[in-house]
């Protein structure tokens, strides 16, 4: 899972099934031999009204029969099933309405009184897709007048006591008139607005969302090769579906480079389900044979949105290997009721973040220059994270379910889902260590071949532990990998893990030139990031979104929730503040800020004389350019950059 870039910076300052506590490897995808088979008929024809309807038949036994509504949604790392928006719930048997009550200790459990003689019940439920939730992942806004992304878990129940691999689901779907659809879920038939899907496990159905819309474009990638790959794009306008040839080439490269990186694929076919709308939640959610990625309507037509969103599809695609096929044992749960353990998310998400960045570079979704500027931004963020003094990276992973929705204010002190990008820095360092110790003969690509590759298979889950990660790394290159991760992940580590940058032949520097990625991000959110100078992350109109706890501004009493009204007596703009910082540097005079806090005004004088400071990487000629090697395409050639011209 991943937030899109603007949401991401505001997060960083910047998802099963098998037998109970299962074997290390579960069998490949199940299409028969289920303990029970349910039917699930979803009516999405009212999608523009944001109300989705479902009817189910569920085999049942007489007495107090307990049905569960999915609670822990795979990939979301928390109990995020949208319970409050599942409404209009009725149960019937033999034509009679059945009484039900919610379990007082488990809101997701419904007790249904099933009469003697009844062997199945009919359930109906509506889902109210949120109209104003900007985040919320798959529970967030998902429908507009022109498109919708259906997550089946909104609209279903399953019997308590059965794992999601033991329940078969025969699903069908009714689309809005004139809309098309795309999904990895195998179909029996599709005619007009009706689609009949093949019998599949509950695991597979929940893992196979459906993208639908009036404007829907299907682009085959690596055409003619097996397994099949398809980029499926739904947008709020037909104009938003336009793509230049180099953009198609970059996506095509992504599929080829991923094949080279992992050495095998673990899906029957793969669908990139891409939603382009300014009116849906923006994030990416991984699935085994697809990803549900949602970003702005201008992603394919506006070069800055293209650049800022470049990492989204590579990250979610990587999860098919790292997260779905290989999964930490604590995240491989039998059903959606069993709580997930997040402590290895620094592998699940951190390694995915790193490999996603690597594939972003190798496919040409970003230029090498943009890629290095992004890395510099990440290095800056985690070098100004006072929260690292009290909290280990592992603790941010263990507490993941509390952090995704935490307020952005004080992120630097609380820490956030730092296992993504700080994880990426640590995996970069691991990659450089392998390259150095093996004199260039080996790299992290050898680890991914061993850990994620093997034979091509349909979806299956191979679980792992910390020891498995350490042991596989030692197979690639003997080293104290246990100590390496213990120091950086398990223990409190006050210093950011930046050695990978130095090892790879580059140096992190700060100067007054804007960072190319930081500048696009600032334009996108109308803000200014002075993390490395004043220690303020400013939002629209001077609002203080965060204030670095050991920064000069915070020490002078400027904190999140306040607003910078004026700079040296003149109304705040980002340009005025940057000019004042330069003036303070040359004249050695403090900067006077007028601050508003809860209706009160106050003047704060900042004795800061080092001018604007933005992060960049510069080449260290004394060392080989390993970064260049890491992001160099292995089996494709770079497309021309997309500049919109
Ligand atoms: Zn992810």
């Amino acid at each position: 899972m991943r937030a899109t870039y603007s949401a991401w910076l505001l997060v960083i300052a910047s998802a099963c099934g098998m037998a109970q506590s299962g074997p290390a490897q579960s069998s490949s995808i199940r299409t028969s031999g289920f303990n029970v088979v349910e039917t699930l008929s979803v009516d999405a024809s009212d999608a523009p009204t944001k109300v989705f309807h479902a009817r189910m038949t569920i085999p049942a036994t007489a007495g107090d029969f307990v049905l569960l509504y999915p609670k822990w949604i795979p990939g979301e790392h928390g109990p995020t099933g949208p319970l409050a928006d599942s409404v209009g719930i009725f149960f019937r048997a033999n034509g009679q309405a059945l009484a039900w009550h919610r379990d007082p200790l488990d809101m997701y459990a419904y007790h249904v009184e099933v009469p003697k003689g009844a062997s199945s019940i009919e359930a109906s439920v509506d889902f109210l897709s949120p109209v104003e939730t900007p985040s919320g992942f798959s529970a967030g806004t998902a429908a507009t007048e022109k498109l919708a992304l259906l997550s089946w878990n909104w609209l279903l129940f399953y019997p308590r006591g059965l794992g999601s691999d033991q329940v078969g689901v025969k699903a069908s779907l009714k689309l809005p008139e004139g809309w098309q659809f795309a999904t990895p879920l195998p179909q029996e038939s599709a005619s007009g607005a009706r689609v009949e899907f093949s019998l599949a496990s509950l695991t597979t159905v929940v893992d196979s969302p459906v993208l639908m819309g009036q404007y829907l474009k299907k682009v085959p990638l690596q055409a003619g090769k097996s397994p099949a790959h398809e980029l499926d794009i739904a947008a709020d306008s037909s104009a938003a579906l336009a793509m230049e040839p180099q953009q198609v080439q970059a996506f095509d490269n992504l599929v080829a480079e991923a094949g080279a990186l992992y050495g095998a694929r673990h899906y029957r076919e793969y669908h990139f389900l891409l939603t382009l709308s300014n009116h849906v939640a923006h994030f990416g959610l991984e699935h085994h044979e697809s990803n549900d990625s949602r970003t702005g309507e201008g992603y394919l037509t506006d070069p800055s949105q293209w650049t800022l969103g470049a990492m989204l599809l590579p990250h979610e695609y990587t999860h098919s290997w790292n997260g779905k096929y290989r999964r930490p044992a604590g995240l491989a749960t039998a059903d959606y009721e069993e709580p997930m353990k997040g402590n290895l998310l620094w592998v699940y998400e951190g390694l995915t973040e790193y490999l996603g960045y690597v594939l972003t570079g190798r496919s040409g979704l970003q230029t090498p220059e943009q890629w290095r500027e992004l890395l510099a931004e990440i290095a800056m963020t985690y070098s100004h994270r006072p929260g690292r003094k009290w909290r280990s990276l592992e603790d941010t992973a263990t507490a993941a379910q509390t952090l995704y929705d935490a307020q952005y204010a004080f992120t630097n002190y609380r820490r956030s889902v730092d296992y993504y990008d700080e994880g990426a820095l640590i995996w970069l360092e691991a990659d450089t260590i392998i390259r150095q110790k093996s004199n260039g003969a080996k790299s992290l690509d050898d680890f991914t071949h061993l850990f994620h590759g093997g034979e091509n298979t349909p979806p299956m889950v191979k679980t792992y532990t910390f020891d498995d990660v350490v042991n596989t790394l030692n197979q690639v290159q003997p080293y104290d990998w246990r100590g390496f991760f213990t120091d950086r992940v398990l223990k409190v580590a006050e210093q950011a893990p930046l050695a990978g940058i130095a090892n790879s032949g580059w140096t992190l520097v700060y100067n007054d030139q804007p960072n190319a990625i930081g500048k696009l991000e600032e334009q996108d959110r109308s803000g200014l990031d002075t993390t490395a100078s004043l220690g303020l992350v400013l939002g629209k109109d001077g609002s203080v979104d965060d204030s670095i706890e050991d920064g000069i501004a915070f020490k002078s009493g400027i904190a999140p929730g306040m607003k910078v009204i004026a700079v040296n007596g003149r109304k705040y703009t980002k340009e005025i503040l940057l000019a004042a910082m330069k003036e303070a540097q040359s004249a050695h005079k403090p900067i006077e800020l007028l601050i508003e806090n809860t209706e009160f005004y106050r003047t704060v004088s900042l004795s800061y004389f080092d001018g604007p400071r933005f992060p960049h990487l510069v080449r260290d000629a004394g060392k080989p350019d390993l970064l260049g090697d890491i992001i160099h395409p292995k089996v494709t050639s770079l497309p021309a950059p997309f500049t919109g011209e």
Side-chain angles (χ1 to χ4, degrees):
M1 184 171 66
R2 198 177 196 286
T4 53
Y5 197 76
S6 342
W8 198 245
L9 273 201
L10 288 179
V11 175
I12 64 168
S14 105
C16 341
M18 54 189 201
Q20 308 287 339
S21 72
Q25 181 167 328
S26 77
S27 57
S28 57
I29 202 155
R30 193 183 281 198
T31 54
S32 62
F34 301 110
N35 295 44
V36 297
V37 172
E38 309 180 340
T39 66
L40 170 60
S41 171
V42 168
D43 180 355
S45 60
D46 295 330
T49 70
K50 301 180 176 60
V51 184
F52 293 77
H53 320 278
R55 298 181 80 87
M56 304 188 72
T57 55
I58 305 167
T61 51
D64 176 24
F65 190 73
V66 180
L67 288 171
L68 299 175
Y69 182 73
K71 179 178 184 180
W72 287 79
I73 307 308
E76 300 197 351
H77 316 317
T80 52
L83 195 64
D85 289 315
S86 64
V87 303
I89 294 168
F90 297 94
F91 301 103
R92 292 183 185 81
N94 300 331
Q96 304 284 314
L98 305 181
W100 62 272
H101 69 273
R102 190 183 305 278
D103 191 290
L105 295 179
D106 180 358
M107 305 291 109
Y108 287 77
Y110 294 79
H111 294 260
V112 184
E113 291 175 31
V114 179
K116 282 193 181 128
S119 59
S120 72
I121 53 180
E122 263 186 49
S124 53
V125 55
D126 282 354
F127 177 69
L128 309 175
S129 180
V131 297
E132 55 190 18
T133 314
S135 66
F137 303 114
S138 66
T141 44
T144 76
E145 183 71 15
K146 300 295 183 189
L147 58 82
L149 191 297
L150 168 71
S151 301
W152 296 98
N153 60 278
W154 298 337
L155 287 159
L156 61 83
F157 303 100
Y158 64 99
R160 184 158 78 182
L162 290 177
S164 58
D165 274 351
Q166 296 167 309
V167 178
V169 178
K170 182 76 183 64
S172 62
L173 175 63
K174 186 179 176 199
L175 302 161
E177 212 55 51
W179 286 23
Q180 300 175 70
F181 75 99
T183 178
L185 193 59
Q187 295 122 48
E188 262 178 10
S189 64
S191 112
R194 292 211 161 267
V195 189
E196 289 287 334
F197 295 96
S198 308
L199 178 63
S201 71
L202 179 59
T203 308
T204 300
V205 170
V206 168
D207 196 41
S208 305
V210 184
L211 178 63
M212 57 189 105
Q214 183 175 332
Y215 310 113
L216 193 141
K217 180 170 174 172
K218 300 184 177 186
V219 183
L221 299 176
Q222 290 288 303
K225 294 193 178 147
S226 180
H229 297 80
E230 193 171 271
L231 173 58
D232 304 309
I233 316 163
D236 275 336
S237 63
S238 60
L241 298 172
M243 270 198 282
E244 296 295 329
Q246 68 263 43
Q247 293 176 288
V248 178
Q249 189 192 336
F251 291 126
D252 207 57
N253 287 356
L254 172 60
V255 172
E257 291 291 344
L261 175 59
Y262 300 110
R265 304 178 190 271
H266 306 288
Y267 43 76
R268 296 167 293 183
E269 56 183 57
Y270 194 89
H271 292 255
F272 296 84
L273 305 177
L274 179 60
T275 307
L276 303 181
S277 170
N278 301 332
H279 304 283
V280 298
H282 288 171
F283 66 95
L285 182 61
E286 63 274 24
H287 299 283
H288 215 130
E289 300 180 298
S290 67
N291 65 74
D292 163 10
S293 292
R294 313 183 198 173
T295 188
E297 187 177 344
Y299 170 62
L300 294 174
T301 50
D302 171 358
S304 50
Q305 287 192 45
W306 170 258
T307 300
L308 286 178
M311 303 77 73
L312 183 60
L313 294 186
H315 177 105
E316 301 308 337
Y317 184 35
T318 284
H319 272 313
S320 181
W321 291 264
N322 190 53
K324 291 301 180 183
Y325 173 57
R326 296 309 308 267
R327 195 176 309 168
L331 291 176
T333 49
D335 61 11
Y336 310 106
E337 187 72 359
E338 184 185 339
M340 294 179 186
K341 302 183 192 80
N343 58 304
L344 281 173
L345 281 170
W346 57 273
V347 187
Y348 182 116
E349 293 292 2
L351 178 57
T352 296
E353 191 79 336
Y354 178 63
L355 296 173
Y357 287 143
V358 168
L359 289 172
T360 301
R362 290 184 188 174
S363 60
L365 284 158
Q366 277 185 343
T367 66
E369 295 74 23
Q370 292 166 337
W371 197 92
R372 288 194 299 270
E373 289 282 88
L374 173 64
L375 186 57
E377 279 279 296
I378 294 167
M380 173 188 76
T381 297
Y382 291 93
S383 311
H384 296 82
R385 208 58 148 187
R388 30 183 346 113
K389 282 186 271 192
W390 72 271
R391 183 172 215 177
S392 69
L393 188 66
E394 184 189 42
D395 185 61
T396 66
T398 303
Q401 58 182 291
T402 69
L403 290 173
Y404 284 102
D405 283 338
Q407 64 170 351
Y408 177 69
F410 299 107
T411 286
N412 76 92
Y413 185 32
R414 180 190 308 105
R415 304 198 76 173
S416 181
V417 289
D418 291 6
Y419 46 88
Y420 285 79
D421 275 339
E422 187 166 321
L425 290 171
I426 291 169
W427 284 102
L428 167 64
E429 189 180 352
D431 198 353
T432 60
I433 288 170
I434 296 170
R435 287 165 190 262
Q436 287 176 337
K437 301 259 172 219
S438 68
N439 293 317
K442 298 279 183 68
S443 73
L444 201 65
D445 292 32
D446 294 282
F447 172 83
T448 51
H449 273 76
L450 278 176
F451 202 70
H452 303 98
E455 300 291 316
N456 283 351
T457 68
M460 60 195 295
V461 182
K462 286 177 77 174
T463 62
Y464 63 83
T465 62
F466 179 52
D467 285 351
D468 296 327
V469 174
V470 165
N471 293 341
T472 309
L473 280 164
N474 272 315
Q475 262 179 272
V476 175
Q477 176 61 50
Y479 186 67
D480 179 16
W481 293 110
R482 185 178 306 279
F484 174 88
F485 290 117
T486 300
D487 289 347
R488 286 157 186 77
V489 179
L490 309 187
K491 289 183 181 172
V492 171
E494 289 199 25
Q495 298 301 314
L498 301 185
I501 293 173
N503 291 350
S504 64
W506 293 80
T507 305
L508 177 66
V509 298
Y510 293 92
N511 61 34
D512 64 359
Q513 296 304 304
N515 175 290
I517 297 293
K519 190 175 166 185
L520 294 179
E521 187 276 332
E522 287 174 352
Q523 286 164 354
D524 189 56
R525 64 179 187 85
S526 307
L528 175 65
D529 189 347
T530 69
T531 289
S533 51
L534 303 178
L536 291 174
V537 183
L538 297 169
K540 202 169 186 310
D541 302 325
S543 63
V544 178
D545 291 345
D546 205 4
S547 181
I548 311 296
E549 190 235 5
D550 55 7
I552 187 168
F554 188 83
K555 287 178 179 165
S556 307
I558 305 177
M562 299 181 186
K563 199 167 180 181
V564 179
I565 301 294
V567 182
N568 293 339
R570 187 169 181 183
K571 185 179 174 183
Y572 168 86
T573 64
K574 141 185 181 179
E575 292 76 19
I576 296 271
L577 179 56
L578 288 170
M581 290 165 73
K582 286 181 179 164
E583 194 186 320
Q585 186 176 23
S586 56
H588 206 77
K589 279 171 61 178
I591 306 165
E592 301 283 327
L593 298 182
L594 178 63
I595 300 296
E596 181 186 357
N597 183 23
T598 61
E599 298 178 9
F600 292 89
Y601 292 86
R602 163 157 56 88
T603 301
V604 176
S605 176
L606 295 180
S607 295
Y608 174 78
F609 309 116
D610 291 335
R613 293 177 82 237
F614 300 106
H616 307 278
L617 300 187
V618 294
R619 187 75 182 90
D620 173 355
K623 293 178 184 167
D625 179 8
L626 295 187
L627 268 192
D629 288 348
I630 287 168
I631 60 169
H632 190 75
K634 304 303 166 203
V635 291
T636 63
S637 53
L638 287 178
F642 171 60
T643 58
E645 284 157 14

